[in-house]
Amino acid sequence: MFPEQTTSPFQSLLRLILMVIGFTFVSQVFYIILLFFYYKMTGQVFSIGVIMNGSANEMRLLLLMSSLGSFVIPAYLMNMYEGYGIKYFQSSYRPKVAQFAYVLFAMLAFMPLMSLIGHWNESLQLPDNMQSLQRWMEQSEKDSGNLVRGIIMESGIVGFLFNIIVLALIPAIGEELLFRGVLQNIVGRWLHNPHVVIWIVAVIFSAIHLQFFGFIPRMLLGAFFGYLYLWSKNILLAIFGHFVNNAGATVMSFYYARLGKSYDELNAFELQSWWIYLVAFIFTLIFVLLFYRTTQKENNGERLEKN
């Protein structure tokens, strides 16, 4: 499918971009075709409005197709057929249970700070001469919120399990394979500073979601996942961290829905005492450092064995 050699990271990046655009388009067309035949079989009237305002299950299918077409399939094909025998997310080490635990606890400890940073990000206002951009950003955020609102506030067990798959598991796998596995590798072949590479990919990761009032917390998460992959050399840990983040939001939404609360109540911000944020920062730092130490022991151990 691809040439035997890839002469430059630019070729790899161009190939990745074309594949993401192409398979995103194909996945959306496939979704429309499936929806068309489903409506025909059930005797319902099919229209463009149906595509834009479908039921919760139809929107879940749309998100599933989008994740597969935009992330999973391009990342898989890049890993399998890229030149020079490049394997983008080959696992160098088998992750330990303790490493998964440290990632879990770090994510949980960071939640209060994430909420605070997100609230601060939402309150940002552009200058007066950029109000047209501000309105576009607000509309983009509103459209994304409306899509998620109709899916995530699910009080039924079956719907909740579907949400875990569609909103947490598949996006975690697809986005980490593509951004940390493929894109971080490609940018790393251009630049030799891994920290610069991680933050560049984190900015792209956050920007591509088109949810600008959550840009900064999503960028920080992207950088964290990048360091998980850099330190551990195993994409599974980045996927796990991403899954914990998405699943946490899905579980909270399910809990609020069961209590009869609204999406707006779920997203309402409540300022905590300063010491809660301080404790959250300290524990986040502790678990990240513990995770880092376990990866360094493995790396040093491998070098000693080779020597």
Side-chain angles (χ1 to χ4, degrees):
M1 181 178 294
F2 296 123
E4 294 183 0
Q5 292 185 338
T6 299
T7 57
S8 71
F10 175 76
Q11 287 186 357
S12 295
L13 181 60
L14 180 60
R15 184 174 295 127
L16 176 64
I17 292 172
L18 292 175
M19 290 177 64
V20 168
I21 293 173
F23 282 105
T24 298
F25 175 76
V26 170
S27 68
Q28 300 308 301
V29 171
F30 189 60
Y31 166 75
I32 294 172
I33 292 173
L34 286 177
L35 208 59
F36 173 79
F37 282 107
Y38 170 74
Y39 270 66
K40 287 295 182 182
M41 290 173 58
T42 57
Q44 302 179 65
V45 177
F46 181 80
S47 66
I48 298 298
V50 167
I51 300 173
M52 304 303 296
N53 301 286
S55 66
N57 285 333
E58 290 165 4
M59 292 298 100
R60 290 186 183 104
L61 177 61
L62 173 61
L63 290 178
L64 177 62
M65 299 300 298
S66 297
S67 294
L68 292 176
S70 300
F71 306 117
V72 177
I73 295 176
Y76 172 79
L77 291 178
M78 289 290 291
N79 184 63
M80 291 298 294
Y81 300 108
E82 187 63 322
Y84 287 133
I86 295 171
K87 296 297 181 184
Y88 283 106
F89 33 86
Q90 210 169 24
S91 299
S92 300
Y93 302 100
R94 179 177 297 178
K96 296 180 179 178
V97 174
Q99 292 175 328
F100 285 105
Y102 293 147
V103 172
L104 172 62
F105 293 142
M107 295 295 298
L108 294 177
F110 191 62
M111 281 183 178
L113 284 170
M114 181 68 69
S115 178
L116 179 65
I117 295 170
H119 176 68
W120 172 76
N121 192 169
E122 289 177 358
S123 64
L124 291 178
Q125 294 290 323
L126 295 178
D128 292 340
N129 60 349
M130 301 179 68
Q131 284 305 299
S132 59
L133 177 60
Q134 175 90 23
R135 288 191 293 271
W136 177 75
M137 291 165 58
E138 290 173 349
Q139 186 61 45
S140 176
E141 194 80 14
K142 181 180 178 181
D143 293 340
S144 299
N146 289 337
L147 175 62
V148 174
R149 181 195 303 262
I151 301 173
I152 201 168
M153 299 306 293
E154 175 62 62
S155 59
I157 297 296
V158 175
F160 166 70
L161 294 177
F162 277 131
N163 281 350
I164 288 291
I165 295 172
V166 173
L167 299 177
L169 181 60
I170 301 301
I173 294 173
E175 292 179 19
E176 290 312 303
L177 292 182
L178 188 125
F179 287 101
R180 254 57 65 178
V182 178
L183 188 57
Q184 192 163 297
N185 184 297
I186 293 174
V187 178
R189 285 154 54 195
W190 253 314
L191 307 172
H192 298 293
N193 188 323
H195 306 290
V196 175
V197 171
I198 286 172
W199 284 99
I200 288 175
V201 174
V203 169
I204 297 171
F205 166 73
S206 186
I208 207 168
H209 284 79
L210 296 178
Q211 292 176 295
F212 302 100
F213 295 102
F215 181 89
I216 294 175
R218 190 175 292 105
M219 179 187 68
L220 294 176
L221 282 174
F224 177 59
F225 301 149
Y227 280 108
L228 291 180
Y229 190 34
L230 173 69
W231 294 335
S232 69
K233 297 180 173 61
N234 194 305
I235 196 67
L236 289 177
L237 288 158
I239 291 173
F240 177 71
H242 198 141
F243 173 77
V244 169
N245 177 74
N246 291 14
T250 306
V251 170
M252 284 300 298
S253 302
F254 174 69
Y255 174 71
Y256 268 61
R258 298 281 284 191
L259 294 177
K261 295 186 177 181
S262 66
Y263 181 78
D264 292 331
E265 289 176 299
L266 170 68
N267 288 282
F269 175 75
E270 183 177 348
L271 184 65
Q272 306 294 328
S273 300
W274 65 268
W275 62 268
I276 292 179
Y277 299 112
L278 177 61
V279 170
F281 174 76
I282 292 172
F283 274 96
T284 301
L285 187 61
I286 288 172
F287 290 124
V288 170
L289 290 175
L290 287 172
F291 176 86
Y292 176 74
R293 286 187 59 188
T294 63
T295 61
Q296 295 310 292
K297 287 179 180 178
E298 289 182 351
N299 295 343
N300 293 335
E302 184 187 67
R303 286 196 290 268
L304 289 173
E305 287 178 4
K306 288 182 178 179
N307 292 335

CSV table of all heavy atoms in Angstrom, one decimal, residues 213-243:
chain,number,residue,atom,x,y,z
A,213,PHE,N,-12.7,26.6,24.8
A,213,PHE,CA,-12.9,27.0,26.2
A,213,PHE,C,-12.4,25.9,27.2
A,213,PHE,O,-12.6,26.0,28.4
A,213,PHE,CB,-14.3,27.5,26.5
A,213,PHE,CG,-14.6,28.7,25.7
A,213,PHE,CD1,-15.4,28.7,24.6
A,213,PHE,CD2,-14.2,30.0,26.1
A,213,PHE,CE1,-15.7,29.8,23.8
A,213,PHE,CE2,-14.4,31.1,25.4
A,213,PHE,CZ,-15.2,31.0,24.3
A,214,GLY,N,-12.0,24.8,26.6
A,214,GLY,CA,-11.3,23.7,27.4
A,214,GLY,C,-10.0,23.4,26.8
A,214,GLY,O,-9.4,22.4,27.1
A,215,PHE,N,-9.4,24.4,26.1
A,215,PHE,CA,-8.1,24.2,25.4
A,215,PHE,C,-7.0,23.9,26.3
A,215,PHE,O,-6.2,23.0,26.1
A,215,PHE,CB,-7.8,25.4,24.5
A,215,PHE,CG,-6.5,25.3,23.7
A,215,PHE,CD1,-6.5,24.7,22.5
A,215,PHE,CD2,-5.3,25.7,24.3
A,215,PHE,CE1,-5.4,24.6,21.7
A,215,PHE,CE2,-4.1,25.5,23.6
A,215,PHE,CZ,-4.2,25.0,22.3
A,216,ILE,N,-6.9,24.7,27.4
A,216,ILE,CA,-5.7,24.6,28.3
A,216,ILE,C,-5.7,23.3,29.1
A,216,ILE,O,-4.7,22.6,29.1
A,216,ILE,CB,-5.6,25.8,29.2
A,216,ILE,CG1,-5.3,27.1,28.4
A,216,ILE,CG2,-4.5,25.6,30.2
A,216,ILE,CD1,-5.3,28.4,29.1
A,217,PRO,N,-6.8,22.9,29.7
A,217,PRO,CA,-6.8,21.6,30.4
A,217,PRO,C,-6.6,20.4,29.5
A,217,PRO,O,-5.9,19.5,29.9
A,217,PRO,CB,-8.1,21.6,31.1
A,217,PRO,CG,-9.0,22.6,30.5
A,217,PRO,CD,-8.1,23.6,30.0
A,218,ARG,N,-7.1,20.5,28.3
A,218,ARG,CA,-6.9,19.4,27.3
A,218,ARG,C,-5.5,19.3,26.9
A,218,ARG,O,-4.9,18.3,26.7
A,218,ARG,CB,-7.9,19.5,26.2
A,218,ARG,CG,-7.9,18.3,25.3
A,218,ARG,CD,-9.0,18.4,24.2
A,218,ARG,NE,-10.3,18.4,24.8
A,218,ARG,CZ,-11.1,19.4,24.9
A,218,ARG,NH1,-10.7,20.6,24.5
A,218,ARG,NH2,-12.3,19.3,25.4
A,219,MET,N,-4.9,20.5,26.7
A,219,MET,CA,-3.5,20.5,26.3
A,219,MET,C,-2.6,19.9,27.4
A,219,MET,O,-1.7,19.2,27.1
A,219,MET,CB,-3.0,22.0,26.1
A,219,MET,CG,-1.6,22.1,25.7
A,219,MET,SD,-1.1,23.9,25.6
A,219,MET,CE,-1.2,24.4,27.3
A,220,LEU,N,-2.9,20.3,28.7
A,220,LEU,CA,-2.1,19.7,29.8
A,220,LEU,C,-2.3,18.2,29.9
A,220,LEU,O,-1.3,17.5,30.1
A,220,LEU,CB,-2.6,20.3,31.1
A,220,LEU,CG,-2.3,21.8,31.3
A,220,LEU,CD1,-2.9,22.3,32.6
A,220,LEU,CD2,-0.8,22.1,31.3
A,221,LEU,N,-3.5,17.7,29.6
A,221,LEU,CA,-3.7,16.3,29.6
A,221,LEU,C,-2.9,15.6,28.4
A,221,LEU,O,-2.3,14.6,28.6
A,221,LEU,CB,-5.2,15.9,29.4
A,221,LEU,CG,-6.1,16.1,30.6
A,221,LEU,CD1,-7.5,15.9,30.2
A,221,LEU,CD2,-5.7,15.1,31.7
A,222,GLY,N,-2.9,16.3,27.3
A,222,GLY,CA,-2.2,15.7,26.1
A,222,GLY,C,-0.7,15.7,26.4
A,222,GLY,O,0.0,14.7,26.1
A,223,ALA,N,-0.1,16.7,27.1
A,223,ALA,CA,1.3,16.7,27.5
A,223,ALA,C,1.5,15.6,28.5
A,223,ALA,O,2.6,14.9,28.4
A,223,ALA,CB,1.7,18.0,28.1
A,224,PHE,N,0.6,15.4,29.4
A,224,PHE,CA,0.8,14.3,30.4
A,224,PHE,C,0.8,12.9,29.8
A,224,PHE,O,1.7,12.1,30.0
A,224,PHE,CB,-0.3,14.4,31.5
A,224,PHE,CG,-0.3,13.3,32.5
A,224,PHE,CD1,0.8,13.1,33.3
A,224,PHE,CD2,-1.4,12.4,32.6
A,224,PHE,CE1,0.8,12.1,34.3
A,224,PHE,CE2,-1.3,11.4,33.5
A,224,PHE,CZ,-0.2,11.2,34.4
A,225,PHE,N,-0.1,12.7,28.8
A,225,PHE,CA,-0.1,11.4,28.1
A,225,PHE,C,1.2,11.3,27.3
A,225,PHE,O,1.7,10.2,27.2
A,225,PHE,CB,-1.3,11.4,27.2
A,225,PHE,CG,-2.6,11.5,27.9
A,225,PHE,CD1,-3.7,12.1,27.2
A,225,PHE,CD2,-2.8,11.0,29.2
A,225,PHE,CE1,-4.9,12.2,27.9
A,225,PHE,CE2,-4.0,11.1,29.8
A,225,PHE,CZ,-5.1,11.7,29.2
A,226,GLY,N,1.7,12.4,26.7
A,226,GLY,CA,2.9,12.3,26.0
A,226,GLY,C,4.1,11.9,26.9
A,226,GLY,O,5.0,11.1,26.4
A,227,TYR,N,4.2,12.4,28.1
A,227,TYR,CA,5.2,12.0,29.0
A,227,TYR,C,5.1,10.6,29.5
A,227,TYR,O,6.1,9.9,29.7
A,227,TYR,CB,5.3,13.0,30.2
A,227,TYR,CG,6.0,14.3,29.9
A,227,TYR,CD1,5.3,15.5,29.8
A,227,TYR,CD2,7.4,14.3,29.7
A,227,TYR,CE1,5.9,16.6,29.5
A,227,TYR,CE2,8.0,15.5,29.4
A,227,TYR,CZ,7.3,16.7,29.3
A,227,TYR,OH,7.9,17.8,29.0
A,228,LEU,N,3.8,10.1,29.6
A,228,LEU,CA,3.6,8.7,30.0
A,228,LEU,C,4.2,7.8,28.9
A,228,LEU,O,4.9,6.8,29.2
A,228,LEU,CB,2.1,8.4,30.1
A,228,LEU,CG,1.4,9.1,31.3
A,228,LEU,CD1,-0.1,8.6,31.3
A,228,LEU,CD2,2.0,8.7,32.6
A,229,TYR,N,4.0,8.2,27.7
A,229,TYR,CA,4.6,7.4,26.6
A,229,TYR,C,6.1,7.5,26.5
A,229,TYR,O,6.8,6.5,26.2
A,229,TYR,CB,3.9,7.8,25.2
A,229,TYR,CG,4.2,6.9,24.1
A,229,TYR,CD1,4.4,5.5,24.3
A,229,TYR,CD2,4.3,7.4,22.8
A,229,TYR,CE1,4.6,4.7,23.2
A,229,TYR,CE2,4.6,6.6,21.7
A,229,TYR,CZ,4.7,5.2,21.9
A,229,TYR,OH,5.0,4.4,20.9
A,230,LEU,N,6.6,8.7,26.6
A,230,LEU,CA,8.0,8.9,26.6
A,230,LEU,C,8.8,8.2,27.7
A,230,LEU,O,9.8,7.5,27.4
A,230,LEU,CB,8.3,10.4,26.7
A,230,LEU,CG,9.8,10.8,26.8
A,230,LEU,CD1,10.5,10.6,25.5
A,230,LEU,CD2,10.0,12.3,27.2
A,231,TRP,N,8.3,8.2,28.9
A,231,TRP,CA,8.9,7.6,30.0
A,231,TRP,C,8.8,6.1,30.0
A,231,TRP,O,9.7,5.3,30.2
A,231,TRP,CB,8.4,8.1,31.3
A,231,TRP,CG,8.7,9.6,31.6
A,231,TRP,CD1,9.7,10.3,31.0
A,231,TRP,CD2,8.0,10.5,32.4
A,231,TRP,NE1,9.7,11.6,31.5
A,231,TRP,CE2,8.6,11.7,32.3
A,231,TRP,CE3,6.8,10.4,33.2
A,231,TRP,CZ2,8.2,12.8,33.0
A,231,TRP,CZ3,6.4,11.5,33.8
A,231,TRP,CH2,7.0,12.7,33.8
A,232,SER,N,7.6,5.6,29.7
A,232,SER,CA,7.3,4.2,29.8
A,232,SER,C,7.6,3.4,28.5
A,232,SER,O,7.9,2.2,28.5
A,232,SER,CB,5.8,3.9,30.1
A,232,SER,OG,5.0,4.3,29.0
A,233,LYS,N,7.7,4.1,27.4
A,233,LYS,CA,7.9,3.5,26.1
A,233,LYS,C,6.8,2.4,25.8
A,233,LYS,O,7.1,1.4,25.1
A,233,LYS,CB,9.3,2.9,25.9
A,233,LYS,CG,10.4,3.9,26.0
A,233,LYS,CD,11.7,3.3,25.9
A,233,LYS,CE,12.8,4.4,25.8
A,233,LYS,NZ,12.8,5.2,27.0
A,234,ASN,N,5.6,2.6,26.4
A,234,ASN,CA,4.5,1.7,26.2
A,234,ASN,C,3.2,2.5,26.0
A,234,ASN,O,2.8,3.2,26.9
A,234,ASN,CB,4.4,0.7,27.3
A,234,ASN,CG,3.5,-0.4,27.0
A,234,ASN,OD1,2.3,-0.2,26.6
A,234,ASN,ND2,4.0,-1.6,27.2
A,235,ILE,N,2.6,2.4,24.8
A,235,ILE,CA,1.4,3.2,24.5
A,235,ILE,C,0.2,2.8,25.4
A,235,ILE,O,-0.7,3.6,25.5
A,235,ILE,CB,1.1,3.1,23.0
A,235,ILE,CG1,0.1,4.2,22.6
A,235,ILE,CG2,0.5,1.7,22.7
A,235,ILE,CD1,0.7,5.5,22.6
A,236,LEU,N,0.2,1.6,26.0
A,236,LEU,CA,-0.9,1.2,26.8
A,236,LEU,C,-1.1,2.1,28.0
A,236,LEU,O,-2.3,2.4,28.4
A,236,LEU,CB,-0.7,-0.2,27.3
A,236,LEU,CG,-0.8,-1.3,26.2
A,236,LEU,CD1,-0.5,-2.7,26.8
A,236,LEU,CD2,-2.2,-1.3,25.6
A,237,LEU,N,-0.1,2.7,28.5
A,237,LEU,CA,-0.2,3.5,29.7
A,237,LEU,C,-0.8,4.9,29.4
A,237,LEU,O,-1.6,5.4,30.1
A,237,LEU,CB,1.2,3.7,30.4
A,237,LEU,CG,1.6,2.4,31.1
A,237,LEU,CD1,3.1,2.4,31.3
A,237,LEU,CD2,0.9,2.2,32.5
A,238,ALA,N,-0.4,5.4,28.2
A,238,ALA,CA,-1.1,6.6,27.7
A,238,ALA,C,-2.6,6.4,27.4
A,238,ALA,O,-3.4,7.2,27.8
A,238,ALA,CB,-0.4,7.2,26.5
A,239,ILE,N,-2.9,5.2,26.8
A,239,ILE,CA,-4.3,4.9,26.5
A,239,ILE,C,-5.0,4.8,27.8
A,239,ILE,O,-6.2,5.3,27.9
A,239,ILE,CB,-4.3,3.6,25.7
A,239,ILE,CG1,-3.8,3.8,24.3
A,239,ILE,CG2,-5.8,3.1,25.7
A,239,ILE,CD1,-3.7,2.5,23.5
A,240,PHE,N,-4.4,4.1,28.8
A,240,PHE,CA,-5.1,4.0,30.1
A,240,PHE,C,-5.4,5.3,30.8
A,240,PHE,O,-6.5,5.5,31.3
A,240,PHE,CB,-4.3,3.1,31.0
A,240,PHE,CG,-4.9,2.9,32.4
A,240,PHE,CD1,-6.0,2.1,32.6
A,240,PHE,CD2,-4.3,3.5,33.5
A,240,PHE,CE1,-6.5,2.0,33.9
A,240,PHE,CE2,-4.8,3.4,34.8
A,240,PHE,CZ,-6.0,2.6,34.9
A,241,GLY,N,-4.4,6.2,30.8
A,241,GLY,CA,-4.6,7.5,31.3
A,241,GLY,C,-5.7,8.3,30.6
A,241,GLY,O,-6.6,8.9,31.3
A,242,HIS,N,-5.8,8.2,29.3
A,242,HIS,CA,-6.8,8.9,28.6
A,242,HIS,C,-8.2,8.2,28.9
A,242,HIS,O,-9.2,9.0,29.0
A,242,HIS,CB,-6.5,8.7,27.1
A,242,HIS,CG,-7.2,9.6,26.2
A,242,HIS,ND1,-6.6,10.2,25.1
A,242,HIS,CD2,-8.5,10.1,26.2
A,242,HIS,CE1,-7.5,11.0,24.5
A,242,HIS,NE2,-8.7,10.9,25.1
A,243,PHE,N,-8.2,6.9,29.0
A,243,PHE,CA,-9.5,6.2,29.3
A,243,PHE,C,-10.0,6.6,30.7
A,243,PHE,O,-11.2,6.9,30.9
A,243,PHE,CB,-9.3,4.7,29.3
A,243,PHE,CG,-10.5,3.9,29.7
A,243,PHE,CD1,-11.6,3.8,28.9
A,243,PHE,CD2,-10.5,3.4,31.0
A,243,PHE,CE1,-12.7,3.1,29.4
A,243,PHE,CE2,-11.6,2.7,31.5
A,243,PHE,CZ,-12.7,2.5,30.7
